Amino acid sequence: RTYTHSTISHIQSNTETASTSLLSLSTFDNPPSEMSEFQKRMRNIVTKATPTRRKTNGKIPKNLIKVTTLDEYKKIIGQTDQLVVVRFYAPWCKACKAIAPSFYRLAINYTDALFIDVPVTPENSNLHQGLGIASLPFGHIYHPTGGLVEEMKMSKKFFPAFARALKTYVDKNCNVEEYEEANAAKKVASDNYGIHGKSP
């Protein structure tokens, strides 16, 4: 196909005009008063502030471990000399994900305690059932000489109470009523799966 000189010049002129229009849209150098309504809308879309997210280093606390089998769980609970804090959770559980950062902060704050994450899997469902885990997330606290001393719900609504209970054991400030309740919880774990905690 043959183009005349005038046709080619017309095409070049239109191309330059289109390029100039696109450039003005992309650079947004024109003052707002000189922009068309379309340009203003495009500028608002492109320059809209992106919500900032709180930065996290993604590191798991050094005193937190993951346990997936009953044998491993019993071994750790029965041999450690530390206060043990356990979170039972499921990877697909939204409530579990919501309190995970708070649980990790407890581990960071109480470095002398051992924290354990126990995810629900097809292989360890007997562990959760044997310990009477009726809901998720759920927490246990084991004392090195008292065994299982606390078992509580750990959802967002109940997590502050769980944190306060943990603090009483860290501070060694437990009353007689709490000790009696702990003994009842300990008996349930012992009767079901022989999980006693470290012997005195």
Side-chain angles (χ1 to χ4, degrees):
R1 188 174 180 180
T2 304
Y3 293 98
T4 64
H5 179 72
S6 60
T7 303
I8 294 174
S9 298
H10 180 69
I11 293 173
Q12 288 176 340
S13 176
N14 288 342
T15 303
E16 290 173 359
T17 301
S19 298
T20 302
S21 299
L22 289 173
L23 182 62
S24 65
L25 279 175
S26 61
T27 57
F28 302 122
D29 289 334
N30 296 336
S33 60
E34 297 179 10
M35 290 183 182
S36 68
E37 288 301 318
F38 174 75
Q39 286 176 314
K40 290 178 182 179
R41 289 198 301 271
M42 292 301 297
R43 177 170 184 164
N44 289 336
I45 292 172
V46 174
T47 61
K48 186 177 181 180
T50 302
T52 55
R53 295 182 179 181
R54 192 174 294 176
K55 293 183 178 180
T56 57
N57 55 22
K59 293 182 179 179
I60 301 298
K62 294 181 179 179
N63 57 331
L64 187 144
I65 61 175
K66 182 181 290 186
V67 171
T68 58
T69 68
L70 177 60
D71 289 340
E72 187 180 7
Y73 186 84
K74 291 173 66 175
K75 182 178 180 181
I76 293 173
I77 298 300
Q79 294 183 359
T80 184
D81 289 321
Q82 296 174 276
L83 188 68
V84 180
V85 187
V86 185
R87 177 178 74 121
F88 299 94
Y89 73 100
W92 41 261
C93 170
K94 290 183 178 180
C96 301
K97 292 178 181 179
I99 62 97
S102 298
F103 184 68
Y104 292 161
R105 278 195 293 271
L106 289 180
I108 293 171
N109 292 335
Y110 302 128
T111 55
D112 290 336
L114 176 63
F115 287 73
I116 300 177
D117 257 344
V118 184
V120 175
T121 68
E123 292 76 23
N124 70 3
S125 60
N126 60 335
L127 169 59
H128 293 75
Q129 293 170 359
L131 293 174
I133 309 301
S135 63
L136 296 173
F138 203 81
H140 278 184
I141 299 175
Y142 292 86
H143 191 275
T145 59
L148 178 61
V149 290
E150 294 287 350
E151 50 179 351
M152 302 173 62
K153 293 180 179 180
M154 289 180 69
S155 58
K156 189 174 182 179
K157 176 181 178 181
F158 299 99
F159 193 86
F162 182 85
R164 287 193 299 270
L166 174 60
K167 189 175 187 302
T168 63
Y169 294 101
V170 172
D171 295 341
K172 300 182 172 71
N173 184 27
C174 304
N175 59 39
V176 174
E177 182 179 350
E178 290 172 341
Y179 182 75
E180 291 175 349
E181 291 177 354
N183 276 340
K186 178 181 175 182
K187 186 176 186 303
V188 172
S190 177
D191 291 345
N192 285 328
Y193 271 99
I195 300 175
H196 305 280
K198 191 175 183 299
S199 300

